[in-house]
Amino acid sequence: MTQTNLARSAPQDETTWWRHAVIYQVYPRSFADNDGDGIGDLPGIASRLPYLAKLGVDAIWLSPFYRSPQHDGGYDVSDYRDVDPLFGTLADFDRMLAEAHRLGLRIIVDLVPNHTSTEHAWFREAVATLPGSAARQRYIFRDGKGKDGELPPNNWQSIFGGNAWSRAPGDSQWYLHLFDRSQPDLNWDHPEVRSDFEDVLRFWLDRGVDGFRVDVAHGLIKAEGLPDWAGQTSMVEGEEGAHSNNGPMWDQEGVHDVYRRWRQVLDEYDNDRMMVAEAWVHPPQRLARYVRADEMQQAFNFDYLLTHWDAQAFRDVVTRSLAVSAEVGAPTTWVMSNHDTVRHTSRYGLSVPGARPKGIDAAGEQPNEALGLRRARAAALLTLALPGSAYIYQGEELGLPEHTTLAAEHRQDPAFFRTSGEEIGRDGCRVPLPWQSAAPAFGFGPGTATWLPQPVSFARYAVDRQEGDAGSTLELYRAALRLRRQRDLGNGELVWRDAEPGVVAFANGGVHVVVNTNDHPVALPGGEVLVSSVPLDSGHMLPANSAVWLG
Ligand code: GLC
């Protein structure tokens, strides 16, 4: 098929832009609200594009805005080819995309292929037909075990807690859902599932998108026979080793055929379109298989996200990540936060700095906000100096903390409900952004409504408070992104420098980066200070928990 592609006018700069791009994640519900219903929308995003252009990022990844009953923040899609009225219309999308391209920003959209919503036409058709019907083959329906099939077909658990199998009311068969019961897993052995998703890719490529973030990329294919598994299902390779992602639902060989085919589809288009895998797999060599030359261009580096505030750990993860991706000729990515994890600003302020609790509530350990922010600012100078592609989660550039005292009555994450509150969940990192410190809802929308309440502390982090203040986190990000671009650090080469314990030091291009993770100052090598995460008074010492770029 040849695409018409009339709307396309993306930035025409260098090729393989994604090798070094800084990509900003927008979580549409919480970015900017234009119509005042308390939920962010596409016109809201469009209105803030100049802010993102000024920040100095290259591209934007939009979490889902498709038609959805919103049982998992839109990761439960009922129509992949339409915009949910909550977020606007297809025309709003086109306008937003055109404006982004005019400003030199590329747009990546989220693709959710592992499961649909139970409201998707296919699933409605499936449950309206009898066991054995063709419509049921698009999902993973099975008869139950036990005398009357009253037991689930196997022992798999949902990532959000509880059983991974449910029955529609009155239905004799069970359907698999690795996530919420409103998110039935598709059967990727079905040719129609494959061809329809190719068509979805083309739908958005024809509209002019620059790429896709592929949700749960490691989950599409399940092991033959759906064998029982003794391990515990989890999105994250657990630090304690209790969780593991080597179960029969993860990282099966067959997923790669899907991405090879999708790559062929992308390659039919101009302008270097890309895909990035969300694949929580381990070890890194397994992740590298998603970014082989004929598959995706990028994969999120979650090992980096999971790294604690520790110089040796940073050195190790950077060295390993660069080596493993180089083996397959792919760029490395660097990511510290997203809509599924406690914001790193808060994680770095915990007694185990960088630990990753599954949400924080008022009963949990409260992070040291000032220390977490101080370390997060230093970590920004580490991340943005590394060669490869860096991801920024909305609000990170403001130093925004997690909302750690959100009351249970406001929580919406299905993981909170499916674990009866044992997992606090992800709402605390999804709170609507503060744009104006003195405005209702901190300027998130025209009125007072916000779908999650904002903590009062957000006033301090509002964009208008930070803009023009040289010591602010926003201006730190702007300065670092400007230098990163000027010095082409994303395309650079990292050379480690000797450093004392607790210090990460390397050169990239002409920039010498020093990160002090210690709680005490360390001697600073000579050189012109290009940017620093704290004011450098003496010029000879780098204070505790801070970082500097020297020229
Ligand atoms: C991915 C998304 C997450 C979602 C899940 C199910 O991990 O990032 O937000 O809940 O997939 O689609």
Side-chain angles (χ1 to χ4, degrees):
M1 176 184 155
T2 47
Q3 73 282 7
T4 44
N5 219 6
L6 294 174
R8 176 105 194 131
S9 62
Q12 300 285 332
D13 56 10
E14 69 285 57
T15 52
T16 59
W17 59 278
W18 39 266
R19 284 193 171 273
H20 53 85
V22 177
I23 303 179
Y24 185 98
Q25 180 187 359
V26 165
Y27 191 69
R29 294 178 76 82
S30 305
F31 188 66
D33 178 19
N34 184 65
D35 64 10
D37 65 355
I39 298 178
D41 45 41
L42 294 175
I45 296 169
S47 73
R48 298 293 185 181
L49 290 171
Y51 166 82
L52 295 178
K54 189 169 177 199
L55 179 60
V57 300
D58 302 290
I60 299 163
W61 148 36
L62 294 175
S63 280
F65 48 80
Y66 313 109
R67 271 198 191 260
S68 159
Q70 305 288 321
H71 291 305
D72 182 23
Y75 282 93
D76 49 323
V77 181
S78 56
D79 184 348
Y80 292 86
R81 297 174 183 80
D82 202 2
V83 172
D84 195 280
L86 271 181
F87 301 118
T89 62
L90 274 172
D92 289 330
F93 179 84
D94 292 341
R95 268 193 293 273
M96 186 273 305
L97 181 65
E99 180 60 6
H101 284 167
R102 196 184 66 75
L103 291 169
L105 295 165
R106 297 180 190 258
I107 297 281
I108 295 167
V109 296
D110 221 305
L111 188 74
V112 189
N114 181 67
H115 43 265
T116 68
S117 160
T118 44
E119 299 292 307
H120 191 282
W122 278 356
F123 194 77
R124 285 165 173 252
E125 189 188 349
V127 291
T129 57
L130 291 172
S133 71
R136 290 197 175 214
Q137 307 308 316
R138 300 188 190 109
Y139 291 91
I140 305 180
F141 279 88
R142 293 287 185 279
D143 293 332
K145 287 183 175 162
K147 196 157 65 65
D148 301 313
E150 73 281 9
L151 299 173
N154 71 17
N155 71 351
W156 295 4
Q157 298 294 297
S158 155
I159 283 138
F160 292 159
N163 211 296
W165 297 89
S166 290
R167 285 192 283 196
D171 202 325
S172 64
Q173 280 197 314
W174 299 77
Y175 64 88
L176 178 70
H177 54 87
L178 291 181
F179 295 88
D180 188 54
R181 64 176 296 143
S182 64
Q183 295 166 298
D185 280 50
L186 284 163
N187 169 16
W188 272 89
D189 292 327
H190 197 298
E192 204 184 334
V193 170
R194 292 190 183 228
S195 64
D196 195 64
F197 269 87
E198 281 176 31
D199 192 63
V200 170
L201 288 177
R202 292 182 198 282
F203 180 88
W204 293 102
L205 289 167
D206 287 344
R207 291 200 107 78
V209 304
D210 298 282
F212 301 91
R213 177 263 188 189
V214 181
D215 190 64
V216 199
H218 56 317
L220 272 48
I221 305 283
K222 281 79 181 173
E224 188 72 38
L226 311 180
D228 275 348
W229 185 50
Q232 199 175 339
T233 320
S234 149
M235 275 309 282
V236 188
E237 176 70 19
E239 294 160 63
E240 327 78 40
H243 301 275
S244 162
N245 282 350
N246 57 12
M249 65 293 285
W250 299 131
D251 200 24
Q252 302 293 307
E253 192 55 37
V255 296
H256 298 287
D257 295 337
V258 176
Y259 305 133
R260 280 190 201 101
R261 177 61 203 134
W262 289 4
R263 176 60 179 265
Q264 289 168 3
V265 173
L266 260 65
D267 285 349
E268 291 171 26
Y269 288 77
D270 59 355
N271 282 312
D272 208 9
R273 321 284 176 112
M274 59 83 85
M275 292 178 284
V276 53
E278 187 219 19
W280 295 87
V281 298
H282 211 72
Q285 285 78 3
R286 297 296 298 184
L287 188 63
R289 304 174 86 244
Y290 290 76
V291 289
R292 288 176 290 194
D294 57 349
E295 298 192 37
M296 299 206 208
Q297 285 80 353
Q298 289 189 348
F300 292 116
N301 183 352
F302 293 127
D303 282 356
Y304 188 69
L305 183 150
L306 293 169
T307 304
H308 289 190
W309 182 249
D310 176 276
Q312 189 58 46
F314 279 129
R315 270 195 297 270
D316 289 348
V317 72
V318 169
T319 304
R320 200 170 52 235
S321 305
L322 290 171
V324 169
S325 46
E327 269 173 38
V328 289
T332 311
T333 66
W334 310 106
V335 47
M336 296 189 285
S337 280
N338 62 31
H339 65 295
D340 291 329
T341 61
V342 171
R343 285 182 177 275
H344 66 271
T345 308
S346 297
R347 289 189 289 113
Y348 291 150
L350 291 169
S351 51
V352 178
R356 183 184 174 276
K358 293 192 165 182
I360 299 178
D361 68 1
E365 182 197 340
Q366 295 299 298
N368 178 330
E369 191 174 329
L371 180 60
L373 176 58
R374 187 179 172 99
R375 287 174 173 159
R377 290 167 54 98
L381 290 190
L382 168 62
T383 303
L384 296 177
L386 293 169
S389 173
Y391 279 81
I392 295 175
Y393 176 49
Q394 66 176 33
E396 170 184 331
E397 79 283 12
L398 305 174
L400 210 61
E402 182 86 358
H403 190 335
T404 56
T405 56
L406 198 61
E409 76 216 51
H410 297 301
R411 297 216 172 260
Q412 308 213 7
D413 185 349
F416 176 74
F417 298 101
R418 291 185 60 88
T419 60
S420 307
E422 196 184 310
E423 265 186 37
I424 309 304
R426 302 163 293 175
D427 297 306
C429 67
R430 299 175 174 178
V431 176
L433 289 193
W435 294 92
Q436 293 164 272
S437 55
F442 301 128
F444 171 63
T448 54
T450 57
W451 71 279
L452 287 174
Q454 300 156 302
V456 287
S457 69
F458 271 27
R460 294 202 295 277
Y461 295 91
V463 173
D464 69 344
R465 272 284 181 92
Q466 301 201 32
E467 206 142 37
D469 170 359
S472 72
T473 305
L474 176 58
E475 295 299 346
L476 176 70
Y477 267 78
R478 284 179 176 167
L481 287 167
R482 202 178 311 122
L483 278 162
R484 178 186 158 93
R485 187 181 295 257
Q486 279 165 7
R487 311 259 173 152
D488 203 15
L489 301 183
N491 281 320
E493 203 176 319
L494 177 144
V495 181
W496 292 115
R497 293 273 182 92
D498 289 339
E500 57 184 282
V503 175
V504 184
F506 62 89
N508 178 3
V511 179
H512 183 184
V513 180
V514 188
V515 184
N516 179 14
T517 67
N518 294 300
D519 289 325
H520 55 80
V522 295
L524 195 59
E528 181 205 351
V529 174
L530 301 175
V531 59
S532 62
S533 69
V534 295
L536 295 181
D537 299 331
S538 74
H540 301 299
M541 299 299 277
L542 183 61
N545 295 300
S546 71
V548 64
W549 291 3
L550 301 166

